[in-house]
Amino acid sequence: MVLKKKILIRIGSLRHGGAEKALINFLKNIPSDKYEIDLLINLYSGQYIKEVPSWVNLHYLLKGEMITTNRPHEIPVKAFRVLYQKMFSKFPGLLYKYILKNKKYDIEIGAIHGMYNDILTSPIKDSKKIIWIQNDIFSLKEYTPKVIREFFKFDKILVISNKLEEEMLKFAKNENEKQSIIKIFNPIDKNDTLEKANTPINDMPFTDSKHPTFVSVGTVYPQKGYDRLLHVHKRLLDEGFQHNLLIIGDGYDLENIQNLLNSLNLQKTAKMLGYKSNPYPYLDKADFYVMSSRHEGYPTIIAEALILKKPISATDISGIKDLLQNGKLGIITPNSEDGIYEGMKKFLTDKTLSDHYKNEIENTELPFVLEKSVQYLQQIIDEV
């Protein structure tokens, strides 16, 4: 009888997001007879909780809904959660004793870059350690060169785009460190995306409009650039380019973006639908996808937009050149308000462009095939 590898995987929550979805797709598609997996989440929250396979042992530090705003009555709860989690970060022995019951692991994985210190301070010194970098840490101020050097304490560093791989290699000091960096595409379940896109909906805005609709999906944080997207929407309308804009998602910046929408008098042409557990029918019914992000790691929603054959205009952020194959499958714009403007304007002025990109997507083999990504990740785990 072959002994199963004991693996601990850590992530903040299982709320909607590319890293969370990639992890769930991985767990749902690896063989349960080869591994014994414990999944530890800081907050028992999110739409993907129900998709964790039954054979995976699920542990958590806290239970409750994610708080994405800063309302006064929520601040004490947020403060308690932060302090509680910091206690386990400062005294990891308590976590492994009381939450994980002194279990020993062969491999420990941080499924998102923010878990790097939690994995490195594990009291299990002889476990192999893997970090999965799911965001463009090089654009985040807290990830100084000193912090980035910490990542080389891991046995393997998984990165999800060519840009992240190139940036990480600049910090490698020897051949061993270079070889520890592995590029791997996030696994995307094409069939699941197509199936969810076919779900009937009755609240799609602008169905009676004769003008095209742009859609954007994502957590409403400043990094998503929805402020500049609204300014571009207004600018195009003022110049006579009639169109609609739909933003799907929530987050702590939601109120600010809604206020901006109102102050620009865009209520008739722009709508914010808030969080949708299944955004794909809205994406499917829209004419174009627009990404206005200031930075990302690997925007999973772009991969899903490609699966739905949506014409895309996206800012030049990490992962976009990989996903859109250097502009073959969609418009890649400069990462600026003017860039977003030019990308959207191209679709509104050139009626042939939409069919051109749909045809290119139709005739291209997309690189984020679920089976290939899962197989590669499994190989990394087996060989570490």
Side-chain angles (χ1 to χ4, degrees):
M1 178 178 148
V2 179
L3 287 174
K4 294 182 180 181
K5 275 196 172 182
K6 292 182 173 62
I7 302 172
L8 173 67
I9 302 176
R10 295 199 61 180
I11 196 166
S13 76
L14 289 176
R15 199 167 178 267
H16 51 284
E20 292 83 356
K21 184 153 197 175
L23 175 60
I24 288 298
N25 282 340
F26 170 61
L27 291 175
K28 286 163 70 174
N29 289 278
I30 61 168
S32 59
D33 59 343
K34 280 192 70 175
Y35 311 100
E36 183 179 325
I37 294 181
D38 284 13
L39 174 60
L40 172 60
I41 54 180
N42 289 351
L43 183 64
Y44 186 93
S45 170
Q47 69 179 74
Y48 297 126
I49 290 278
K50 61 183 181 294
E51 296 189 41
V52 176
S54 58
W55 62 272
V56 173
N57 306 308
L58 186 57
H59 306 273
Y60 58 89
L61 302 185
L62 293 155
K63 201 166 188 175
E65 288 306 308
M66 179 80 77
I67 299 172
T68 58
T69 56
N70 287 311
R71 298 185 181 98
H73 69 278
E74 295 170 337
I75 291 172
V77 179
K78 288 177 80 170
F80 169 75
R81 288 178 177 178
V82 169
L83 289 171
Y84 187 74
Q85 290 176 37
K86 279 191 174 178
M87 175 187 71
F88 284 123
S89 294
K90 191 168 179 61
F91 304 104
L94 295 177
L95 172 71
Y96 281 73
K97 181 177 180 180
Y98 292 107
I99 305 293
L100 300 173
K101 310 301 182 188
N102 287 321
K103 190 168 178 179
K104 299 296 181 187
Y105 297 100
D106 302 301
I107 301 170
E108 297 183 78
I109 302 173
I112 196 165
H113 57 280
M115 305 302 302
Y116 79 94
N117 197 54
D118 299 271
I119 299 295
L120 289 178
T121 55
S122 162
I124 306 174
K125 301 305 177 189
D126 57 352
S127 67
K128 297 294 184 181
K129 295 176 174 64
I130 298 172
I131 190 70
W132 202 346
I133 301 179
Q134 292 273 356
N135 204 343
D136 184 4
I137 59 175
F138 302 96
S139 64
L140 302 175
K141 283 185 288 187
E142 61 268 34
Y143 286 87
T144 61
K146 184 180 177 182
V147 170
I148 290 169
R149 279 296 309 161
E150 290 290 297
F151 285 76
F152 289 97
K153 293 178 180 177
F154 285 88
D155 295 281
K156 296 294 177 187
I157 304 166
L158 310 185
V159 293
I160 55 175
S161 71
N162 285 324
K163 184 191 174 192
L164 288 177
E165 182 182 34
E166 288 163 10
E167 292 296 327
M168 208 71 203
L169 282 168
K170 291 176 186 176
F171 284 86
K173 290 185 174 178
N174 54 53
E175 198 58 36
N176 280 344
E177 289 188 349
K178 287 180 181 177
Q179 290 180 3
S180 71
I181 303 165
I182 299 172
K183 189 186 78 173
I184 180 168
F185 286 110
N186 276 348
I188 309 292
D189 192 333
K190 180 179 179 180
N191 293 333
D192 181 63
T193 302
L194 291 170
E195 185 180 324
K196 286 177 177 174
N198 285 326
T199 305
I201 53 170
N202 54 19
D203 61 341
M204 177 70 184
F206 313 121
T207 51
D208 56 349
S209 172
K210 61 178 188 252
H211 304 303
T213 296
F214 287 86
V215 65
S216 194
V217 182
T219 310
V220 187
Y221 293 156
Q223 75 177 64
K224 299 295 183 180
Y226 290 136
D227 54 334
R228 53 188 190 173
L229 180 57
L230 287 177
H231 283 294
V232 167
H233 175 53
K234 168 76 169 166
R235 182 176 164 189
L236 287 165
L237 290 174
D238 289 346
E239 292 177 6
F241 299 106
Q242 298 303 312
H243 66 289
N244 304 302
L245 176 63
L246 179 60
I247 296 173
I248 300 173
D250 66 2
Y252 67 76
D253 215 26
L254 182 67
E255 194 174 327
N256 291 333
I257 298 300
Q258 184 64 60
N259 288 340
L260 177 61
L261 186 155
N262 295 338
S263 69
L264 293 172
N265 295 314
L266 296 173
Q267 295 91 336
K268 290 183 179 177
T269 58
K271 302 289 182 188
M272 299 188 69
L273 283 193
Y275 169 69
K276 295 287 181 184
S277 61
N278 179 12
Y280 307 113
Y282 304 90
L283 175 54
D284 194 45
K285 292 181 188 305
D287 299 282
F288 312 108
Y289 189 88
V290 58
M291 170 162 281
S292 55
S293 294
R294 291 178 167 93
H295 59 86
E296 296 271 351
Y298 181 90
T300 304
I301 191 68
I302 293 292
E304 292 159 336
L306 287 171
I307 287 169
L308 297 175
K309 299 181 179 62
K310 272 309 114 176
I312 296 163
S313 174
T315 47
D316 188 4
I317 44 122
S318 176
I320 280 294
K321 284 178 179 168
D322 302 337
L323 285 163
L324 296 184
Q325 299 190 8
N326 293 313
K328 178 188 174 189
L329 304 182
I331 298 171
I332 301 174
T333 74
N335 192 345
S336 64
E337 201 168 294
D338 284 343
I340 298 164
Y341 166 85
E342 291 298 336
M344 293 175 71
K345 186 178 175 181
K346 280 180 183 176
F347 281 130
L348 294 173
T349 54
D350 186 347
K351 306 300 181 187
T352 66
L353 207 50
S354 179
D355 287 338
H356 165 76
Y357 283 119
K358 285 179 182 178
N359 187 59
E360 288 290 347
I361 296 165
E362 179 78 44
N363 293 297
T364 300
E365 185 179 349
L366 301 174
F368 40 80
V369 179
L370 178 72
E371 293 77 15
K372 285 183 183 176
S373 294
V374 171
Q375 187 178 21
Y376 189 28
L377 194 50
Q378 194 179 320
Q379 180 186 329
I380 293 164
I381 288 171
D382 288 345
E383 294 176 357
V384 73

